[in-house]
Amino acid sequence: MSESSPEERLAALYFLRRVQVADLARTDRWIADAEQRAAEHARRRPPPPAPDWCVQYGMGGRAVRPAMVHTSECWVPGVSMEGVSRAQAIEALTRGGVPPCILCRPERELGVLD
């Protein structure tokens, strides 16, 4: 195999670079198309239903003990809440020692702590 001149090698490397740039541009178009399809799919999908119960956490978020159990209709300004299942809300109220909200009274709807 004969060795190519430095000019031939440089020309071959520039050719390789052009091919790779074209491949990268094509891949970027494929990614953009896939992202657009995923965004359209997400817009068509209905939002998940709101949870029936929520647990309020204090300033430390989930790192601290839950502060209160609420119904999903309860609105307390500036409070961070996380949706939970019926079983989780009952567990928090009965075994977890988490107090119910005095405004929305979730224990009545759940049938506990009456």
Side-chain angles (χ1 to χ4, degrees):
M1 196 186 277
S2 67
E3 292 213 13
S4 59
S5 69
E7 293 82 17
E8 291 172 332
R9 176 144 176 79
L10 188 56
L13 289 171
Y14 276 121
F15 173 76
L16 176 60
R17 184 180 187 286
R18 283 192 307 273
V19 169
Q20 290 175 334
V21 166
D23 285 345
L24 182 58
R26 183 177 58 233
T27 302
D28 286 343
R29 284 191 307 272
W30 290 344
I31 290 171
D33 291 345
E35 287 174 339
Q36 183 178 1
R37 282 191 302 276
E40 289 169 2
H41 180 69
R43 281 192 299 272
R44 286 192 306 263
R45 191 175 39 219
D52 291 328
W53 293 274
C54 299
V55 171
Q56 172 188 339
Y57 288 94
M59 296 286 289
R62 291 198 64 166
V64 297
R65 186 175 179 273
M68 241 182 277
V69 176
H70 299 267
T71 65
S72 63
E73 290 85 29
C74 189
W75 181 79
V76 182
V79 171
S80 169
M81 290 197 256
E82 178 179 311
V84 295
S85 68
R86 176 182 176 83
Q88 290 170 314
I90 291 171
E91 177 76 20
L93 289 169
T94 57
R95 292 196 181 108
V98 182
C101 173
I102 60 171
L103 302 174
C104 65
R105 306 301 300 252
E107 75 280 12
R108 288 181 180 167
E109 196 172 329
L110 291 166
V112 295
L113 303 178
D114 282 335

